[in-house]
């Protein structure tokens, strides 16, 4: 998967951002709460959150989202960055580092100890911010979520968790496993020693047309609903011998609906088919699926929302008043000039900036949804 | 090879292993048998004497189902041995197993 290939870049960039965040926070601790420094810290958290969301790393999104909220209040000067809060933010930074380390080690930032440590930090943030940001427990209580002007799509759907009490295991095996002497079925059977498979859907979409079918290659995958008291590590260990030869995704019981949606996006098969498989094996209800898909669609829509570059507009013959084009070209070039002139993160690679823009676009989408005129009113002027 | 044709159903049978070790051989044999059948012939495979069954075997059955369905006909698995039945049930593919209610055969 391309997404997996991009993961090392994500890890490297996040670590770089965290290093800068540490330097900046230490500077603040020594009394230099410069607005630009605070802005840089905020942007680092924002970028890590956004990129994590694109990789479906909900544990990091959830944690960083709250940290970002606190930083936003500091930026707005509605919250004072005192020594105590700086120290706590440094602890939060360290925690994000642990989450990223867990991703680097093949995990997804979810582990019992990490979860507990993260929850405790968020609780303290909530207290120290005087309730300006909500602790996870409070977020859970505040359903249905009311999307505030600033909240991202991710937050709105995070609050909705699937009702299932089963783990969801999604696994695709590499073509060579059979030739390597392993039978995927034996791993599935082994699972039943750790709990019970309550729903299993065979994914046979990868089977090729008969003339290209190689009887010794493996084409099958499985979507499995699994009821078990075992923890993630033990479930993962069931696939230990085939770990290098499979794509394995494990979601704990009652994960946010957005995580299932992210899984559907990441898997190679058609989204619609996968959605049906997740419903068929009992992991999602139809309503949960629909909700997840809606969130997905708004993400997809945000990608289409990118304004065409002025050159494209001219080439494709939109009837636009030259002044309007010029004005827009100005805004764009101003944007890019200011970005070049004072890069927010000196070491950030291009990919990261693109991700960042995308995240901003998602935010804009929320606002844009309320102001349709923004889209329709401006550019076209025929005479 | 087709063992016999009864009521427009081509009968096949497998003895012993239906797994990775015989995957090539069996796939060729089955494809040839399907090609050999006059159109409008369903295929039934007697799996009562299968002793080993794995993912490769399962894939072969799934491919056969596709091939037979492509000709507008159906594939039926007759009396699968326990090792086959367990896998088919685990994978929700047990609808392939012929029952007196859904088979055209009088067994």
């Amino acid at each position: 998967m391309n997404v997996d290939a991009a993961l090392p870049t994500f890890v490297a960039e996040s670590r770089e951002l965290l290093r800068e965040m540490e330097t900046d926070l230490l500077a603040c601790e020594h009394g230099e709460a410069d607005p630009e420094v605070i802005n840089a810290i905020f942007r680092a958290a924002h970028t890590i959150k956004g990129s994590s969301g694109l990789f479906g790393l909900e544990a990091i999104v959830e944690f960083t989202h709250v940290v970002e909220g606190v930083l936003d209040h500091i930026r707005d000067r509605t919250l004072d960055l005192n020594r105590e809060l700086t120290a706590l933010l440094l602890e939060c930074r360290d925690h994000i580092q642990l989450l990223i380390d867990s991703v680097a080690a093949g995990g997804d930032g979810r582990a019992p100890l990490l979860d507990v440590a993260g929850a405790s930090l968020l609780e303290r943030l909530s207290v120290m911010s005087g309730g300006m940001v909500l602790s996870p427990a409070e977020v859970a209580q505040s359903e249905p979520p009311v999307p505030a002007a600033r909240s991202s799509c991710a937050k709105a759907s995070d609050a909705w968790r699937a009702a299932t009490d089963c783990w969801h295991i999604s696994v695709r095996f590499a073509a060579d496993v059979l030739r390597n002497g392993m039978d995927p079925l034996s791993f599935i059977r082994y699972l039943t020693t750790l709990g019970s498979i309550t729903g299993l859907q065979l994914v046979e979409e990868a089977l090729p047309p008969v003339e290209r079918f190689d009887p010794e290659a493996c084409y099958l995958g499985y979507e499995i609903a699994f009821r078990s008291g075992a923890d993630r590590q033990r479930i993962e260990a069931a696939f230990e011998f085939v770990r290098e030869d499979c794509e394995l995704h494990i979601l704990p019981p009652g994960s946010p609906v957005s995580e299932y949606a992210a899984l559907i996006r990441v898997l190679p098969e058609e989204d619609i088919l996968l959605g049906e498989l997740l419903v068929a094996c009992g992991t999602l209800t139809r309503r949960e699926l629909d909700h997840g898909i809606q969130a997905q669609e708004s993400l997809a829509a945000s990608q289409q929302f990118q304004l065409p570059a002025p050159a494209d507009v001219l080439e494709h013959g939109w009837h636009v008043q030259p002044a309007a084009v010029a004005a827009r070209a100005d805004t764009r070039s101003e944007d890019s000039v200011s970005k070049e002139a004072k890069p927010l993160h000196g070491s950030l690679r291009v990919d990261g900036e693109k991700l960042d823009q995308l995240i901003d676009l998602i935010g804009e989408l929320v606002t844009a949804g309320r102001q349709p005129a923004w889209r329709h009113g401006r550019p076209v002027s025929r005479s | 090879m087709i063992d016999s044709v009864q009521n427009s159903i081509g009968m096949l049978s497998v003895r012993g292993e239906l797994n990775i070790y015989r995957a090539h051989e069996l796939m060729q044999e089955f494809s040839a048998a399907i090609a050999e059948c006059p159109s409008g012939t369903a295929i039934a495979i007697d799996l009562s004497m299968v002793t080993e069954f794995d993912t490769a075997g399962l894939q072969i059955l799934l491919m056969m189902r596709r091939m037979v369905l492509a000709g507008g006909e159906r594939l039926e698995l007759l009396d699968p041995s326990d090792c086959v039945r367990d896998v088919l049930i685990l994978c929700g593919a047990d609808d392939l197993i012929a029952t007196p209610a859904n088979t055209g055969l009088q067994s």
Side-chain angles (χ1 to χ4, degrees):
Chain A
M1 287 296 308
N2 294 336
V3 171
D4 286 346
L7 205 58
T9 312
F10 161 74
V11 169
E13 263 168 11
S14 301
R15 284 180 171 157
E16 183 63 38
L17 288 170
L18 286 168
R19 261 192 294 278
E20 290 168 9
M21 202 187 214
E22 183 170 37
T23 315
D24 290 341
L25 280 169
L26 287 172
C28 291
E29 205 170 31
H30 296 105
E32 299 167 37
D34 186 299
E36 282 214 3
V37 172
I38 289 169
N39 206 21
I41 301 171
F42 171 83
R43 304 274 311 174
H46 179 71
T47 303
I48 292 173
K49 180 185 90 171
S51 317
S52 306
L54 293 175
F55 286 96
L57 300 165
E58 292 293 337
I60 306 184
V61 174
E62 283 165 24
F63 183 83
T64 318
H65 178 74
V66 180
V67 177
E68 183 195 350
V70 169
L71 289 165
D72 200 19
H73 286 299
I74 297 171
R75 214 163 58 138
D76 292 350
R77 295 175 191 276
T78 47
L79 190 62
D80 183 34
L81 181 60
N82 55 29
R83 262 190 110 85
E84 234 185 328
L85 184 53
T86 311
L88 179 55
L89 284 170
L90 271 166
E91 278 185 68
C92 291
R93 187 221 76 100
D94 295 345
H95 184 72
I96 299 173
Q97 177 105 51
L98 289 176
L99 296 175
I100 298 287
D101 288 347
S102 124
V103 171
D108 65 351
R110 275 205 202 277
L113 280 177
L114 283 177
D115 290 351
V116 171
S120 132
L121 283 169
L122 295 185
E123 210 63 61
R124 287 166 61 199
L125 272 181
S126 174
V127 171
M128 211 179 277
S129 70
M132 275 183 180
V133 294
L134 296 179
S135 68
E138 288 165 322
V139 171
Q141 277 170 13
S142 68
E143 261 181 277
V146 185
R150 281 208 124 88
S151 82
S152 66
C153 302
K155 188 197 168 187
S157 48
D158 273 354
W160 186 337
R161 289 178 176 272
T164 179
D165 62 345
C166 294
W167 293 79
H168 186 80
I169 304 171
S170 168
V171 59
R172 303 288 181 274
F173 295 94
D176 275 339
V177 286
L178 302 175
R179 278 188 283 260
N180 292 344
M182 288 177 287
D183 183 4
L185 286 168
S186 55
F187 304 108
I188 311 287
R189 282 200 202 94
Y190 179 76
L191 272 183
T192 60
T193 66
L194 300 176
S196 62
I197 293 175
T198 58
L200 180 146
Q201 292 291 312
L202 190 61
V203 186
E204 47 180 293
E205 305 316 301
L207 279 172
V210 67
E211 54 291 356
R212 289 213 308 272
F213 175 66
D214 172 357
E216 291 182 354
C218 182
Y219 299 98
L220 300 182
Y222 296 89
E223 296 297 324
I224 304 166
F226 183 56
R227 183 176 289 124
S228 171
D231 61 17
R232 170 187 293 275
Q233 264 182 323
R234 284 193 63 201
I235 297 174
E236 252 174 22
F239 296 89
E240 185 69 38
F241 294 113
V242 76
R243 198 65 198 88
E244 300 292 307
D245 284 322
C246 74
E247 188 186 334
L248 178 67
H249 298 276
I250 300 177
L251 293 180
S255 290
V257 168
S258 59
E259 284 199 30
Y260 299 97
L263 174 67
I264 288 174
R265 269 203 307 279
V266 165
L267 291 173
E269 293 83 14
E270 289 279 328
D271 291 359
I272 292 174
L273 171 87
L274 285 163
E276 293 304 321
L277 290 177
L278 260 54
V279 171
C281 70
T283 289
L284 290 183
T285 63
R286 172 83 38 200
R287 219 171 136 240
E288 289 163 349
L289 174 66
D290 290 346
H291 178 79
I293 285 175
Q294 269 170 24
Q296 243 178 297
E297 278 168 358
S298 48
L299 187 76
S302 74
Q303 286 163 345
Q304 289 163 6
F305 251 74
Q306 297 188 38
L307 293 171
D312 293 345
V313 173
L314 292 175
E315 264 173 32
H316 293 96
W318 273 22
H319 299 269
V320 184
Q321 283 182 337
V325 173
R328 200 184 273 184
D330 279 355
T331 341
R332 282 184 84 82
S333 57
E334 235 170 60
D335 269 355
S336 46
V337 165
S338 63
K339 268 209 176 96
E340 275 167 32
K342 37 172 189 172
L344 290 161
H345 328 290
S347 60
L348 194 66
R349 278 160 241 163
V350 180
D351 284 345
E353 272 191 17
K354 275 194 186 149
L355 289 179
D356 216 24
Q357 284 169 1
L358 186 60
I359 288 126
D360 286 334
L361 280 164
I362 295 171
E364 276 170 30
L365 178 73
V366 176
T367 332
R370 302 209 178 82
Q371 302 171 343
W374 178 81
R375 258 199 311 159
H376 299 139
R378 246 202 290 162
V380 185
S381 155
R382 290 165 200 263
S383 49
Chain B
M1 292 298 118
I2 294 284
D3 298 342
S4 64
V5 177
Q6 302 174 16
N7 306 336
S8 295
I9 299 181
M11 298 287 297
L12 296 171
S13 63
V14 186
R15 254 171 209 279
E17 296 177 331
L18 176 43
N19 60 12
I20 182 76
Y21 301 109
R22 291 182 66 201
H24 268 295
E25 170 204 342
L26 288 170
M27 190 61 204
Q28 271 176 9
E29 195 176 305
F30 288 163
S31 307
I34 290 173
E36 181 189 309
C37 280
S39 64
T41 311
I43 299 288
I45 314 178
D46 180 349
L47 297 173
S48 61
M49 286 168 296
V50 173
T51 54
E52 303 270 344
F53 187 68
D54 67 359
T55 296
L58 175 63
Q59 289 187 154
I60 290 176
L61 295 183
L62 294 171
M63 285 308 287
M64 300 243 334
R65 170 168 65 178
R66 275 202 192 178
M67 289 156 71
V68 176
L69 282 176
E73 276 302 333
R74 65 183 189 280
L75 175 72
E76 291 176 353
L77 307 182
L78 303 178
D79 192 19
S81 61
D82 287 348
C83 63
V84 180
R85 187 180 293 270
D86 288 351
V87 170
L88 294 178
I89 291 173
L90 178 69
C91 296
D94 46 326
D95 56 320
L96 282 173
I97 302 175
T99 60
N102 71 14
T103 182
L105 280 177
Q106 312 301 317
S107 52

